Amino acid sequence: MAKEFRRIGVLTSGGDAPGMNAALRAVTRAAIDKGVEVMGIYEGYKGLVHPQLKRFTSRDVSNIISRGGTALYSNRCLEFKEEEGMQKAIQTCRDNEIDGIIAIGGDGTFRGATDLSLRGIPTIGIPGTIDNDITSTEYSIGFDTAVNTAIEMIDRLRDTCESHARCNVVEIMGRNAGWVALEAGIATGASAIVINEIQFDEDKVINQILEAKKNNKRNFIVCIAEGVPAALGDKLYSEKFAKRFEEKTGIETKFVRLAHVLRGGDPTMRDRCIATQMGSEAVRLLLEGKSDLVVGMRNGELISTEISYALKLDRMYKGTLKEGDLDNFTEEQIAEMKAYCAKRHADLEKLYNIAYEMAH
Ligand code: F6P
């Protein structure tokens, strides 16, 4: 097993997420445990196009399990998207005798991983993004920490809202998915949650809030996912919502945006543990001769999915499929993908409805 893989590379790419360091540590230690050397590749794919690599020992990943950000740094490398950049990356792998790569990040990272796989460098992806918007997996590294950070911030806002009988409208990071806004909203008892995935009835919510006010409720939190303003084509939607809310309810309303603050911070136990499991699993798959797969989690179990399948599933869920995207899939596979997307949406809807049961 270790004969074929003498040395592997590991990189982090795209938006950073708490827990990426725990995954980097796990990849490094799992590989070393199997007698395989590890090269840390800096700044994502850029570190392959313009070589920036370092041989990692176990000590190089000591004391990073508890740290946010990524010790390998990250970058969104446009050059790597061109054939010329890709060939430079392949050459770097050859020059450094890298037999395979583990790439930690989101869907852009996995597209890059597939490009390498297709050109003969076996590659396995690990999902890392606070947004939890990689459809093929129920969990992506960084989500739990981001939700917990949002909870801490919103709890503080609630304290002052209660003192002053105010509302706080909170816009929460998540460009293409409302998971962070939804779960943080539930966990902080938000009076309303606005996310892309579910139709929002503003008047109904305002009436519900006025009812609660009559019942002596003093503080109100409204969570809006970052993707909502973009989808509505109005960057200032959340600020305007806060104003409108104040006018319609007579409740003094403040606005705050929780953006990159949610991407930093020490990872929670859940992120450290899942990142460690996923890192170890990615090494196992790579050394077994597997490639072009992304590790994931379903029903609490580790799974792996072909990257092309994962990317198309993602587009299906987000309604962004292009013509011909499903040409290489069987009818059975397409039916299975549709059922999975429907279940994922139903799970989200169920949570959303529970949030409203609580908002009285
Ligand atoms: O990591 C995902 C994400 O946090 C999105 O929710 C957000 O819109 C985006 O990254 C912003 O990333 P950056 O500012 O690094 O481009």
Side-chain angles (χ1 to χ4, degrees), residues 14-17 76 128-133 172-177 180 226-227 259-260 262-263:
D16 61 352
R76 292 186 169 102
T129 162
I130 66 157
D131 294 349
N132 204 29
D133 68 338
I172 297 177
M173 198 176 232
R175 188 165 38 202
N176 297 314
V180 181
E226 176 198 350
H260 293 83
L262 302 184
R263 285 240 300 253

Side-chain angles (χ1 to χ4, degrees), residues 277-290:
Q277 290 174 63
M278 286 184 171
S280 163
E281 177 69 359
V283 170
R284 191 186 68 74
L285 290 167
L286 193 63
L287 301 193
E288 251 180 22
K290 306 269 170 52

Side-chain angles (χ1 to χ4, degrees), residues 34-303:
K34 309 281 181 309
V36 176
E37 290 179 5
V38 178
M39 295 295 281
I41 301 159
Y42 286 89
E43 291 197 55
Y45 293 109
K46 187 178 166 205
L48 283 178
V49 179
H50 300 286
Q52 253 197 98
L53 304 95
K54 182 187 162 194
R55 165 100 189 271
F56 272 18
T57 66
S58 285
R59 292 291 71 73
D60 287 303
V61 291
S62 286
N63 308 320
I64 64 168
I65 192 167
S66 56
R67 292 212 331 255
T70 159
L72 282 176
Y73 311 135
S74 192
N75 197 297
R76 292 186 169 102
C77 179
L78 295 178
E79 256 181 292
F80 182 71
K81 290 186 177 164
E82 307 294 329
E83 189 57 37
E84 202 186 327
M86 202 97 66
Q87 289 306 328
K88 283 188 191 166
I90 304 267
Q91 194 54 47
T92 304
C93 291
R94 293 204 180 110
D95 293 345
N96 288 276
E97 298 176 325
I98 290 174
D99 302 318
I101 285 191
I102 292 180
I104 308 163
D107 51 2
T109 308
F110 305 146
R111 267 192 294 276
T114 281
D115 288 336
L116 285 178
S117 304
L118 292 174
R119 287 163 182 78
I121 310 287
T123 308
I124 303 284
I126 297 179
T129 162
I130 66 157
D131 294 349
N132 204 29
D133 68 338
I134 298 169
T135 307
S136 62
T137 177
E138 285 164 3
Y139 193 79
S140 73
I141 296 166
F143 176 65
D144 189 61
T145 308
V147 172
N148 276 292
T149 306
I151 289 172
E152 189 189 333
M153 306 278 163
I154 297 169
D155 283 347
R156 287 168 190 241
L157 293 169
R158 180 183 295 289
D159 288 347
T160 164
C161 282
E162 176 71 10
S163 305
H164 293 270
R166 283 178 182 156
C167 170
N168 226 301
V169 172
V170 190
E171 191 183 286
I172 297 177
M173 198 176 232
R175 188 165 38 202
N176 297 314
W179 283 104
V180 181
L182 177 59
E183 297 215 357
I186 290 173
T188 53
S191 296
I193 300 170
V194 194
I195 57 176
N196 275 352
E197 295 92 328
I198 295 185
Q199 187 107 25
F200 175 67
D201 183 340
E202 191 171 315
D203 289 332
K204 185 176 152 207
V205 164
I206 286 183
N207 287 335
Q208 197 169 344
I209 285 174
L210 286 174
E211 276 301 306
K213 191 184 167 198
K214 267 196 226 151
N215 270 334
N216 301 324
K217 185 168 170 61
R218 285 177 62 83
N219 71 73
F220 302 90
I221 298 289
V222 177
C223 294
I224 302 181
E226 176 198 350
V228 172
L232 296 174
D234 182 0
K235 268 187 171 176
L236 298 178
Y237 170 80
S238 306
E239 286 95 324
K240 288 182 189 164
F241 177 92
K243 265 206 154 144
R244 209 163 46 243
F245 183 87
E246 184 169 89
E247 281 158 16
K248 286 188 178 174
T249 60
I251 300 166
E252 190 183 353
T253 302
K254 304 284 179 189
F255 171 74
V256 70
R257 179 171 285 120
L258 300 181
H260 293 83
V261 69
L262 302 184
R263 285 240 300 253
D266 299 343
T268 58
M269 175 279 283
R270 190 167 185 219
D271 277 322
R272 296 179 197 199
C273 288
I274 292 181
T276 302
Q277 290 174 63
M278 286 184 171
S280 163
E281 177 69 359
V283 170
R284 191 186 68 74
L285 290 167
L286 193 63
L287 301 193
E288 251 180 22
K290 306 269 170 52
S291 176
D292 212 8
L293 298 178
V294 54
V295 174
M297 188 156 268
R298 287 205 194 158
N299 304 317
E301 301 280 336
L302 287 183
I303 52 132

